[in-house]
Amino acid sequence: MAWITKNSAGTQIERRSEPYLTPAMRKDLSERILPRYAVKQACVLPCLHTIQHEYGWVPAQAMEEIAEFLGLKPSEIIDTASFYEEYWLKPKGEHLIQVCRSIACEFCGQKDITEACKRKLGIDVGETTDDGKFTLIELECLGSCGSAPAALVDETLHENLTAAKIEAIIDQTAKSGAHGHGHGSHNGSHGH
Amino acid sequence: MPWTPKTTRPILTSRIPTPPYGDWSKRHIVSYDEYTKTGVVPGYAALRKALTMTPEEVTEEVKKSQLRGRGGAGFPTGLKWTFLPKPDAATGDGGVRYLAINADESEPGTFKDRLLCDFDPHLVLEGIAICCYACRIQTAYFYIRGEYHHQAKVMENAIKEAYAAGVFGKQGFFNGAATKNPFSNASGGTGWALDCYVHRGAGAYICGEETALLEGLEGKRGWPRNKPPFPAIKGLFGKPTIINNVETLAHLPFIIHEGAGEFMKQGCESSIKGAPPSYGTKLMGMSGHVNKPGVFEFDLGIPLRTFVEQYCGGMRGGKKFKGAIPGGISMGILGPDQYEAELDFDIGRKHNVLGLGTACPTVFDEDTDMVAVARNIARFFKHESCGQCTPCREGSGWLYQLLSRIEEGNGKSKDLDLALEIATSMGTMPGTTICGLADGNNWAIRTIMNKFPDEFQKRVKPTFVPVRLGGLAVGAGV
């Protein structure tokens, strides 16, 4: 007789009692964003942006809440969320360093920038520091080709970078203490 | 023969100081008040003029100017507008229809629309209003890429200012200025009722493809749609939709205020018999190995050499020119003997590249490794392929693997044939892919491999084919 070896159909979702989509967010979204569109599904991206901005990632529970809020199926939300790179479906560090690796940046010194970040943080591309402060990734074009190399640190663009410059930016960001993603209380290194 | 510009004053950048007319360091965000008082056309004067014309007259003027879309394809803007269904003859009611502004500028090398969003947002908003008037549209969505955090905020603020001034909103345009308003007898007769919203993308190159952009607006995966139906018939939320590039819309105030004739004095005629002309100025963003990169405004038709040497301070470190991508990596590459190429819409037919694209050249000097350039481009397309069509999804991955192998020195000469075969077959057979992404990948890799064959040959080992000689297997180099 066959038996189940994989629990893919019954994947557990980590839950917390406090909703991710807060009443204040619901109010803002229903008053300001929902009336803009002919159908509710068009609000999926704005809703996901709200969650991503607040918590630094999009937990599965938040996607369920968005689905309930917009009258959609949770599968429709994860379908969209998993397509777009800006949404993190797993927790990441408090601050996100995104180094552009596209054509103009790569041939104007991007490799030095990535190496400087790796050295400074002691991690490889795609990793998060042990203290959960920084995540380092490379991504495609930031639209800053005339001032290459460039990197996006949280939501701020830094251009004409040198190794020394990005190291100073990392120092400054670490010192600032503020969370890169809005003002959420979530620490990305360990889930709730 | 040295190239002489026809334009003696900046048009799109009249409020954004840009060499040779102004100083980069003086750039700032132009507010509503400053916008209405400055510029080659005083701000919103063109919209006031448009409102004294009928929508059809506005469309006709844009058609006459032969303005071609600035987003990469160069499709005539006025003609695109006429694809919308005809409005009701008696009431002028066109029903619900939308404008989607394409500010999803994500192609490597391209960074020109950003300049307008950064500094002169009202120029774009006035263009949006004129387009919506001409096309009887009451809702416009400004789809801006997710990485443009700052630009999205600038646009949001400008839209707020424009609402306060009555450009958008339902309270009447400029406190009810007299117009030949198509909205007064359409959709319940509420008068001028145009809404404009910013919709942020979330990091997907493919959403710059017009139907994928609509999917993104609808809250779905950015998967391009099969055409037909074309968006002008069935687009956003199933309604007729016009999709225009930011820079295209920014040209409209000048065309409407000064007339199509003035617009056609800039740019150039086509040197190919029967081909459409390249009128007007163009934002051109220079990047790569030059001394002073950045976004400039020139007449279409400026030779690449003039652009680099006269305006960008020449090649960095006095190095020699090796190649350039004319406008976004999907366009292919110009070889060392094509430095004189004129940047106009004929470039594709004259210089064996896909086209002008966004006219944002990325220039490479003599030290550049062209195999690495090809690998970088292949990686981009592998990363950004949406995965719907097999030739694109699989082909882009194969190309990246092959080119990485060649770059690392582990390639065999048969890999070159295979890479070229894949590149040549991707997207070329009509109907095998939904959108043009595979075609861009094809042109980029194919032109690099064909224009710099020696660099690829040098990097590969000969392929050994076992040959039987009297019972012994002997390797023979091919």
Side-chain angles (χ1 to χ4, degrees), chain B residues 7-346:
Chain B
T7 308
T8 52
R9 52 184 178 166
I11 291 165
L12 292 173
T13 55
S14 67
R15 296 174 194 86
I16 311 171
T18 298
Y21 311 106
D23 177 3
W24 264 328
S25 64
K26 297 205 166 61
R27 289 180 174 182
H28 60 279
I29 301 172
V30 176
S31 68
Y32 178 83
D33 285 336
E34 190 185 342
Y35 180 72
T36 53
K37 290 182 192 123
T38 55
V40 59
V41 175
Y44 291 110
L47 180 56
R48 281 177 201 271
K49 187 179 172 194
L51 296 179
T52 63
M53 301 155 77
T54 65
E56 286 68 28
E57 284 165 355
V58 176
T59 307
E60 202 43 52
E61 197 66 28
V62 175
K63 260 175 99 173
K64 223 167 77 190
S65 76
Q66 303 191 49
L67 170 67
R68 296 173 68 176
R70 281 357 188 196
F75 193 82
T77 306
L79 185 63
K80 193 188 243 183
W81 293 358
T82 59
F83 293 158
L84 284 168
K86 294 274 165 290
D88 186 279
T91 64
D93 190 350
V96 178
R97 36 174 83 178
Y98 298 102
L99 171 68
I101 301 98
N102 190 342
D104 192 76
E105 183 175 60
S106 314
E107 180 143 332
T110 304
F111 55 108
K112 52 148 188 104
D113 294 338
R114 185 186 145 190
L115 182 83
L116 297 171
C117 304
D118 257 334
F119 300 112
D120 202 359
H122 282 285
L123 182 66
V124 182
L125 296 184
E126 188 175 359
I128 292 172
I130 291 171
C131 170
C132 288
Y133 180 79
C135 298
R136 300 166 191 263
I137 290 166
Q138 302 196 49
T139 315
Y141 295 104
F142 192 84
Y143 191 104
I144 188 163
R145 64 180 300 203
E147 289 84 349
Y148 282 180
H149 294 280
H150 173 71
Q151 290 75 12
K153 281 181 199 135
V154 174
M155 290 308 299
E156 292 258 18
N157 280 335
I159 288 173
K160 253 185 224 156
E161 286 180 329
Y163 264 100
V167 178
F168 303 126
K170 299 193 173 17
Q171 76 277 40
F173 182 67
F174 293 137
N175 300 320
T179 68
K180 292 193 178 175
N181 193 338
F183 303 127
S184 56
N185 46 13
S187 304
T190 48
W192 176 263
L194 172 60
D195 281 311
C196 182
Y197 307 115
V198 170
H199 186 97
R200 285 188 54 224
Y205 164 70
I206 192 62
C207 285
E209 200 279 340
E210 55 180 14
T211 54
L213 185 146
L214 298 180
E215 292 285 306
L217 261 169
E218 291 183 2
K220 300 175 191 156
R221 300 172 82 85
W223 275 358
R225 296 175 185 172
N226 262 317
K227 289 182 261 190
F230 289 94
I233 306 299
K234 198 171 172 223
L236 186 63
F237 308 129
K239 302 290 182 194
T241 305
I242 291 292
I243 299 139
N244 276 151
N245 172 261
V246 172
E247 188 192 343
T248 311
L249 294 169
H251 272 292
L252 298 179
F254 184 85
I255 293 171
I256 296 304
H257 197 268
E258 305 290 303
E262 277 301 306
F263 177 80
M264 290 157 79
K265 284 184 186 162
Q266 292 120 35
C268 60
E269 299 288 343
S270 173
S271 56
I272 300 169
K273 209 170 159 235
S278 307
Y279 290 137
T281 59
K282 176 91 188 65
L283 292 179
M284 298 187 182
M286 175 66 77
S287 61
H289 300 146
V290 299
N291 280 317
K292 285 185 229 155
V295 183
F296 299 80
E297 183 185 5
F298 295 118
D299 290 285
L300 280 164
I302 183 174
L304 182 59
R305 181 194 287 275
T306 310
F307 189 0
V308 171
E309 290 178 3
Q310 208 168 320
Y311 297 98
C312 296
M315 298 294 291
R316 213 168 58 180
K319 295 266 170 66
K320 276 210 310 242
F321 171 86
K322 184 172 189 178
I325 291 162
I329 56 171
S330 63
M331 291 300 126
I333 201 158
L334 295 165
D337 53 336
Q338 295 174 323
Y339 199 13
E340 311 296 335
E342 288 150 354
L343 297 171
D344 58 36
F345 288 109
D346 288 343

Side-chain angles (χ1 to χ4, degrees), chain A residues 5-191:
Chain A
T5 54
K6 261 171 84 180
N7 66 347
S8 55
T11 304
Q12 288 294 309
I13 294 176
E14 275 190 58
R15 289 177 200 282
R16 67 180 205 187
S17 52
E18 195 190 335
Y20 284 96
L21 199 65
T22 62
M25 287 179 195
R26 284 169 189 260
K27 186 166 179 281
D28 179 59
L29 287 166
S30 1
E31 284 173 7
R32 214 165 49 84
I33 309 293
L34 272 173
R36 295 181 178 184
Y37 304 99
V39 300
K40 279 187 169 181
Q41 190 172 7
C43 295
V44 172
L45 261 59
C47 288
L48 289 167
H49 274 308
T50 304
I51 297 289
Q52 173 71 43
H53 182 75
E54 182 71 18
Y55 303 99
W57 69 298
V58 183
Q61 185 185 329
M63 285 192 266
E64 285 185 340
E65 288 166 14
I66 292 171
E68 176 263 332
F69 174 64
L70 296 177
L72 298 166
K73 295 179 196 76
S75 60
E76 288 173 301
I77 310 296
I78 198 165
D79 183 48
T80 300
S82 58
F83 182 83
Y84 295 93
E85 267 171 53
E86 205 174 316
Y87 305 129
W88 286 68
L89 303 187
K90 285 190 177 143
K92 61 170 171 54
E94 262 174 56
H95 302 285
L96 181 62
I97 298 173
Q98 307 183 85
V99 182
C100 174
R101 66 175 188 188
S102 280
I103 196 98
C105 284
E106 178 173 336
F107 293 93
C108 292
Q110 164 261 328
K111 280 174 187 158
D112 294 345
I113 307 302
T114 303
E115 285 309 314
C117 292
K118 281 160 76 172
R119 228 178 16 245
K120 177 91 185 158
L121 299 170
I123 52 173
D124 214 338
V125 174
E127 294 180 348
T128 302
T129 52
D130 285 339
D131 60 2
K133 280 256 186 220
F134 287 97
T135 299
L136 173 66
I137 60 164
E138 286 182 347
L139 83 174
E140 297 296 350
C141 198
L142 286 172
S144 183
C145 315
S147 32
L152 198 59
V153 177
D154 295 328
E155 294 182 2
T156 312
L157 183 68
H158 298 276
E159 303 176 290
N160 294 314
L161 286 173
T162 58
K165 246 172 148 177
I166 189 77
E167 281 172 17
I169 291 163
I170 292 174
D171 280 334
Q172 236 170 26
T173 312
K175 254 189 264 162
S176 74
H179 283 233
H181 43 81
H183 35 79
S185 56
H186 179 81
N187 186 332
S189 60
H190 45 81

